[in-house]
Amino acid sequence: MSIRGAMALARAIKTWAIASGRTYATPDDVRALAVPVLAHRLIVDPESDFEGVTPEQIVEGILADIEPPVYRAA
């Protein structure tokens, strides 16, 4: 993923949060937007493509491997 891809995701998340009436983003915002914003930016290598791996599956797999942050009251 390029820095432009990361910036596009950040802008989309901020816009999504504002459209939802919030001034903050949530992990659910990231999960909702990561695939549509990032998947088309990935190029699957020919071997993986032959095995049927899609860019969407790659992004979903990364999201599944990352634990969202936990809020701890001070």
Side-chain angles (χ1 to χ4, degrees), residues 36-70:
V37 172
L38 300 178
H40 75 279
R41 297 174 179 270
L42 295 178
I43 299 172
V44 180
D45 69 346
E47 184 176 318
S48 296
D49 190 31
F50 182 74
E51 293 174 4
V53 176
T54 65
E56 291 81 4
Q57 290 172 327
I58 294 169
V59 176
E60 289 169 356
I62 293 168
L63 291 174
D65 288 344
I66 299 172
E67 291 290 325
V70 178

Side-chain angles (χ1 to χ4, degrees), residues 3 5 7 20 23-24 27-28 36 42 44 48 55 69:
I3 189 69
M7 290 170 58
S20 299
T23 58
Y24 57 90
D28 289 335
L42 295 178
V44 180
S48 296

